[in-house]
């Protein structure tokens, strides 16, 4: 019996010997000790390899009538800030002045604003993210007009362009001001050239485009319209007086509110804000040349824009506004030129115009 058991053990030992030797070969190669080996880096994908989005096959396609928020379709560029899932925004109201306060920085917001104007059918003429403003080209609206005296139908041509100005606030908040400039046909000369005249400010049209922007950024149209409704329409005291021969625009309100309203008025009036210094109360502006009519539509004139400074000075419950030549500090400009600039501000000042 013992002899039989010894034979069985011997046979099993011989059978398992190749496996043991193979196992040693697996654990040890040459003279290397397995216990001293180090783990290697995990596999890395090439930098240009894009992982496919396998979940697309599970998504339900949208119908043509569905409204898609820009945040749902925006793909951030390489190196750009990561877009939030939802943009929190508020409509701020100060008298008749309204603007958007968005909880994100201007860098993240800027590409969305470009897409908004493109989807609205406007071409962008000025795109200055470093300076914080964007402006569209003139766009014409051709309407029908009947001349009662001759009983003939003509064409009522109105053209408009929009401007967005962004101001960075603390805690990654951006203030966004949207303004409109409009022109209408004044006359047609003997050479069939159209002569244009400015339209009065149209706050309803500005509100309409702001509501569209809010909808584009993810808020329903009904909620956006509700947020933007019922502004305070209190009129302000505005008057141009001569103080020691210098025209001064006196505004019956405190500096912070006048600063914001003046910025809106400058944008509306065609006095383009190139830069600003709120601490010193200065807007650096350029006066756009009068637009001309060409075969390609309405365009800004080719003349060189003139640079000015608009100064705001706090005087308790009122604020004084004066106009100066850019680059020359408090050097006065001709009184008639200064008065012309201040009148342009008054004509576009929020709350100081007849309702459209």
């Amino acid at each position: 019996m013992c002899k039989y058991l010894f034979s069985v053990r011997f046979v099993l030992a011989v059978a398992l010997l190749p496996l043991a030797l193979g196992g040693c070969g697996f654990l040890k190669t040459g003279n290397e000790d397995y216990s001293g080996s180090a783990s290697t880096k995990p596999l890395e994908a090439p930098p240009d390899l894009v992982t496919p989005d396998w979940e697309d096959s599970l998504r339900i396609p949208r119908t043509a009538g569905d409204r898609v928020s820009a945040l749902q379709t925006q793909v951030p560029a390489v190196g750009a800030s990561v877009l939030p899932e939802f943009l929190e925004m508020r409509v701020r109201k100060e008298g008749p002045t309204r603007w958007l306060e968005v909880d994100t920085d201007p860098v993240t917001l800027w590409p969305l604003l470009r897409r908004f104007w493109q989807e609205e059918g406007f071409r962008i003429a000025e795109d200055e993210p470093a300076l914080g403003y964007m402006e569209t080209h003139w766009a014409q609206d051709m309407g029908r007009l009947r001349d009662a005296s001759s009983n003939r139908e003509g064409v009522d041509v109105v053209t408009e362009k929009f401007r967005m100005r962004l101001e960075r606030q603390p805690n990654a908040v951006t203030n966004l001001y949207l303004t409109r400039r409009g022109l209408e046909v004044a006359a047609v000369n003997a050479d069939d050239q159209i002569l244009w005249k400015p339209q009065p400010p149209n706050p309803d049209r500005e509100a309409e485009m702001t509501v569209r922007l809010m909808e584009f950024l993810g808020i329903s149209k009904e909620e956006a319209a509700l947020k933007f409704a019922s502004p305070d329409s209190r009129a302000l005291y505005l008057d141009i007086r001569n103080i020691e021969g210098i025209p001064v625009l006196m505004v019956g309100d405190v500096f912070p509110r006048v600063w914001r309203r003046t910025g809106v008025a400058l944008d509306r009036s065609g006095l383009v804000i190139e830069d600003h210094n709120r601490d010193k109360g200065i807007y650096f502006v350029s006066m756009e040349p009068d637009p001309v009519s060409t075969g390609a539509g309405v365009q800004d004139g080719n003349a060189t824009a003139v640079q000015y400074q608009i100064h705001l000075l706090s005087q308790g419950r009122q604020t004084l506004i004066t106009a100066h030549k850019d680059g020359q500090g408090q050097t006065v400009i001709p009184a008639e030129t200064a008065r012309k600039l201040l009148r342009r501000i008054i004509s576009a000042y929020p709350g100081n115009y007849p309702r459209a």
Side-chain angles (χ1 to χ4, degrees), residues 39-163:
S39 60
T40 60
K41 294 173 60 178
L43 292 177
E44 295 180 356
D48 57 346
L49 180 62
V50 178
T51 304
D53 187 357
W54 298 107
E55 295 183 359
D56 277 348
S57 58
L58 303 177
R59 295 175 185 167
I60 301 174
R62 295 179 179 271
T63 64
D66 284 347
R67 179 72 180 185
V68 181
S69 167
L71 295 174
Q72 295 176 269
T73 59
Q74 176 74 10
V75 179
V78 176
S81 303
V82 177
L83 289 166
E85 294 183 1
F86 176 75
L87 282 180
E88 185 69 36
M89 67 190 79
R90 294 161 296 281
V91 176
R92 294 301 188 192
K93 305 172 186 177
E94 196 173 76
T97 307
R98 292 169 287 185
W99 69 95
L100 279 183
E101 188 178 81
V102 188
D103 287 347
T104 189
D105 59 276
V107 175
T108 302
L109 194 57
W110 202 263
L112 297 176
L113 301 181
R114 285 197 189 108
R115 284 191 53 208
F116 168 73
W117 289 119
Q118 291 166 358
E119 293 197 10
E120 289 292 328
F122 287 87
R123 293 183 301 117
I124 297 176
E126 301 288 341
D127 190 340
E128 297 290 345
L131 300 177
Y133 69 85
M134 182 184 299
E135 188 171 275
T136 70
H137 281 281
W138 291 102
Q140 291 187 5
D141 179 18
M142 310 290 287
R144 307 305 300 178
L145 176 68
R146 178 173 293 277
D147 186 350
S149 60
S150 60
N151 199 29
R152 292 186 306 172
E153 258 196 2
V155 178
D156 179 25
V157 184
V158 175
T159 185
E160 64 181 0
K161 67 177 177 179
F162 293 90
R163 181 179 177 85

Side-chain angles (χ1 to χ4, degrees), residues 266-320:
L266 292 170
D267 287 335
R268 285 173 172 169
S269 67
L271 292 170
V272 179
I273 299 173
E274 304 287 356
D275 201 357
H276 67 273
N277 187 325
R278 192 181 188 280
D279 292 336
K280 295 183 177 181
I282 303 175
Y283 281 110
F284 300 87
V285 303
S286 60
M287 180 182 286
E288 290 185 343
D290 292 333
V292 296
S293 180
T294 67
V298 181
Q299 298 179 357
D300 290 319
N302 296 322
T304 303
V306 183
Q307 310 293 322
Y308 294 99
Q309 292 182 14
I310 305 299
H311 290 232
L312 281 71
L313 178 63
S314 175
Q315 294 287 298
R317 298 299 301 176
Q318 67 177 3
T319 305
L320 309 183

Side-chain angles (χ1 to χ4, degrees), residues 196-214:
W196 301 92
K197 66 177 181 179
Q199 286 187 316
N202 189 337
D204 293 333
R205 179 70 169 144
E206 292 171 350
E208 175 190 349
M209 295 306 294
T210 306
V211 168
R212 289 189 189 183
L213 173 62
M214 295 171 70

Side-chain angles (χ1 to χ4, degrees), residues 175-297:
N175 283 351
L176 188 153
Y177 300 87
L178 188 152
T179 52
R180 170 195 181 269
R181 286 187 66 201
L183 299 173
E184 58 189 14
V185 176
V188 179
N189 61 20
D191 298 326
D192 289 335
Q193 250 190 341
I194 296 177
L195 304 179
W196 301 92
K197 66 177 181 179
Q199 286 187 316
N202 189 337
D204 293 333
R205 179 70 169 144
E206 292 171 350
E208 175 190 349
M209 295 306 294
T210 306
V211 168
R212 289 189 189 183
L213 173 62
M214 295 171 70
E215 184 184 7
F216 180 81
L217 294 177
I219 294 182
S220 70
K221 185 176 181 179
E222 293 75 15
E223 182 182 356
L226 185 62
K227 286 176 178 287
F228 216 76
S230 303
D232 179 7
S233 59
R234 279 185 310 170
L236 284 178
Y237 170 79
L238 296 167
D239 188 25
I240 297 179
R241 296 184 181 179
N242 286 326
I243 300 179
E244 297 184 359
I246 300 174
V248 178
L249 173 57
M250 307 185 72
V251 185
D253 207 348
V254 294
F255 177 87
R257 287 198 286 262
V258 176
W259 173 263
R260 282 188 284 267
R261 294 191 184 192
T262 301
V264 172
L266 292 170
D267 287 335
R268 285 173 172 169
S269 67
L271 292 170
V272 179
I273 299 173
E274 304 287 356
D275 201 357
H276 67 273
N277 187 325
R278 192 181 188 280
D279 292 336
K280 295 183 177 181
I282 303 175
Y283 281 110
F284 300 87
V285 303
S286 60
M287 180 182 286
E288 290 185 343
D290 292 333
V292 296
S293 180
T294 67

